[in-house]
Amino acid sequence: MGHETDEVDRIVGAWIAQRPDLDFSPLEVLSRVDRLSRHLDRARRDAFRRSDLEPWEWDVLSALRRAGEPFQLSPKQLLQQTLVSSGTMTNRIDRLVDRGLVRREADPGDGRSVLVTITMDGRTRVDAAITRLVDAESLLLGALSRGDRDRLAGLLRKLSLGFDA
C-alpha cells in the first residue's frame, strides 16, 4: 500500500539529506500542527465573520454563553477565562455594550460590583457562530474516523497538559 506524502515529508526529507545527524521527528509532528493551525484559524475567522463577530468578541460571548442561565459572569471571571488584562477586558466589555451584545448589571449580591450578561442578539450570534465553527472543524477532520479523532484528541491532551499547568 502506497504511503502518501505531504509538504512536511518533502521538507523533512530535504533536511535529512542535508543534516542526517539530526532527529527531525519533532518537525514531522509540529510542522503539521502548525500548518493545521493556519487552516483552523482561517475556518474560525470565517465562522466568526459570518456571525458578524471578531475573534475577541467570540471569546467573551462564548464564555458568557457557556456559563449557562442567566448567561452572566463578573468581569473578573471573564478575565480568568479569556486571559487578557483588566484594562483590555474593560475596553472589550465597553465595545460589546456599544454593539448591544452584552449589558452591565448591578450584582445583586454586591452593590459595588457589576455582572456582564449576554443579550439576546449576542446569544443569537454566538449560537450561530458555534454551529458554523463545529461544522467547519468537522470538515477539517473529515479524513479521520471517530476512533482516529478520539486517539488524536487524547495524544494532543497529553501533550498540552504540560503547557496548561
Side-chain angles (χ1 to χ4, degrees):
M1 189 156 130
H3 172 65
E4 289 188 63
T5 61
D6 64 4
E7 185 63 18
V8 173
D9 289 320
R10 291 185 277 283
I11 291 168
V12 168
W15 272 118
I16 289 170
Q18 298 301 312
R19 293 292 310 271
D21 57 311
L22 295 177
D23 172 13
F24 288 98
S25 61
L27 263 65
E28 291 186 273
V29 174
L30 297 176
S31 291
R32 287 184 176 95
V33 169
D34 181 57
R35 288 167 179 267
L36 292 169
S37 174
R38 291 182 218 170
H39 290 290
L40 176 59
D41 188 54
R42 275 197 295 273
R44 286 185 165 190
R45 287 183 181 278
D46 183 57
F48 303 152
R49 181 186 48 74
R50 290 173 55 209
S51 295
D52 193 26
L53 294 174
E54 295 294 326
W56 67 265
E57 291 173 318
W58 159 260
D59 287 343
V60 176
L61 294 175
S62 66
L64 291 166
R65 180 64 172 97
R66 290 189 314 266
E69 287 282 357
F71 307 109
Q72 62 185 196
L73 295 169
S74 70
K76 183 178 180 182
Q77 289 171 310
L78 283 169
L79 281 174
Q80 292 166 341
Q81 291 199 30
T82 60
L83 305 176
V84 298
S85 72
S86 177
T88 298
M89 181 53 66
T90 299
N91 180 270
R92 288 181 175 185
I93 293 168
D94 288 345
R95 291 169 66 187
L96 287 166
V97 167
D98 289 346
R99 286 198 62 198
L101 301 177
V102 303
R103 65 182 176 272
R104 284 187 175 93
E105 299 176 359
D107 183 343
D110 179 356
R112 298 165 301 171
S113 299
V114 298
L115 293 171
V116 180
T117 305
I118 197 168
T119 63
M120 212 45 224
D121 186 27
R123 185 171 165 186
T124 299
R125 287 174 196 259
V126 81
D127 282 355
I130 191 62
T131 301
R132 289 180 175 118
L133 181 60
V134 169
D135 289 346
E137 291 185 2
S138 184
L139 286 174
L140 289 175
L141 295 173
L144 299 179
S145 69
R146 184 60 193 221
D148 285 344
R149 288 182 192 193
D150 291 344
R151 281 188 293 286
L152 181 57
L155 290 169
L156 292 171
R157 180 182 304 107
K158 184 176 180 179
L159 187 60
S160 71
L161 282 171
F163 296 99
D164 293 341

